[in-house]
Amino acid sequence: MPPRASTEDNQARGDTGFDTSGEAARETEALRALEEVLAGRSGESLVMEDALRHIVTRVTDEGLVIELFDLDGSPLFVADTPEPTAVTRTLAEMLAGLLNSVSNDIALNGHVKNYPIVLKDNPVWDLSGARAHSLRILLAGSGYDEARVRRVSGFADRVSAVDNPTAERNNRLELVVLRKFRR
């Protein structure tokens, strides 16, 4: 449950709006365990080594962020479309199985690179959202309960992953395993 604002009435009752039962700490440990599996450091990797190169993870206040990104010569989507490539399908299948091992809901965010020229009809907003929806569809097709998807967002080219806004590395998806409990 998300924290509530700490009001004077809540504080008088000892309710700060933050989990003090230890659930948040246990949840953080579970998210870190997922992160270990994805990083292949748990002794046994769930995905082939080549696909692992497309994944970077980090634990944040929102939850475990699993970032899937383009590599030179190995994109997640067919150029300038929401059509997933084989590596994206493989990653979605693996992630669906992994996500079914936890009860947390997820959020999906799509990001795309900046186009180096001014376009009359710049596709970045529609493309980023469509790619996030493609991942949602792939996860559902791989057995993940679609009712556990809390939001699907497209961020266009507004949040770069690297300094060069036109770099392929900015073409990415973020799958956030949302926290139930906040510290």
Side-chain angles (χ1 to χ4, degrees):
M1 128 183 352
R4 294 180 307 274
S6 182
T7 65
E8 277 188 51
D9 290 341
N10 289 345
Q11 286 176 352
R13 287 193 309 268
D15 184 2
T16 62
F18 292 95
D19 174 56
T20 57
S21 67
E23 289 293 326
R26 284 190 287 283
E27 182 177 56
T28 297
E29 285 307 311
L31 293 177
R32 291 207 187 280
L34 281 178
E35 184 178 34
E36 291 287 319
V37 170
L38 285 168
R41 295 188 306 248
S42 64
E44 187 175 327
S45 175
L46 294 177
V47 294
M48 62 191 119
E49 190 175 318
D50 190 49
L52 275 174
R53 297 180 313 127
H54 289 271
I55 298 176
V56 172
T57 60
R58 66 188 179 279
V59 176
T60 68
D61 288 345
E62 188 177 22
L64 174 63
V65 178
I66 303 168
E67 188 176 291
L68 312 175
F69 55 90
D70 277 1
L71 293 171
D72 288 337
S74 185
L76 295 175
F77 294 92
V78 175
D80 299 327
T81 74
E83 179 63 32
T85 61
V87 72
T88 307
R89 293 176 192 283
T90 299
L91 288 168
E93 186 175 324
M94 180 275 305
L95 287 169
L98 185 62
L99 293 170
N100 283 330
S101 71
V102 297
S103 61
N104 301 65
D105 291 339
I106 65 169
L108 302 171
N109 303 321
H111 299 269
V112 296
K113 68 179 181 172
N114 183 286
Y115 286 75
I117 57 174
V118 177
L119 301 172
K120 178 182 175 199
D121 294 316
N122 193 333
V124 294
W125 286 106
D126 292 337
L127 186 58
S128 63
R131 287 180 173 183
H133 279 286
S134 288
L135 180 58
R136 178 187 56 81
I137 291 165
L138 287 172
L139 290 169
S142 295
Y144 184 73
D145 182 5
E146 197 170 10
R148 292 175 50 202
V149 177
R150 287 289 151 233
R151 71 174 183 269
V152 179
S153 305
F155 286 85
D157 57 359
R158 299 307 190 251
V159 184
S160 293
V162 294
D163 288 337
N164 177 359
T166 62
E168 294 298 318
R169 175 64 174 82
N170 290 314
N171 287 330
R172 66 194 190 284
L173 297 166
E174 291 176 339
L175 187 158
V176 184
V177 182
L178 299 168
R179 290 183 184 274
K180 292 180 184 180
F181 305 97
R182 299 262 175 130
R183 289 179 168 250

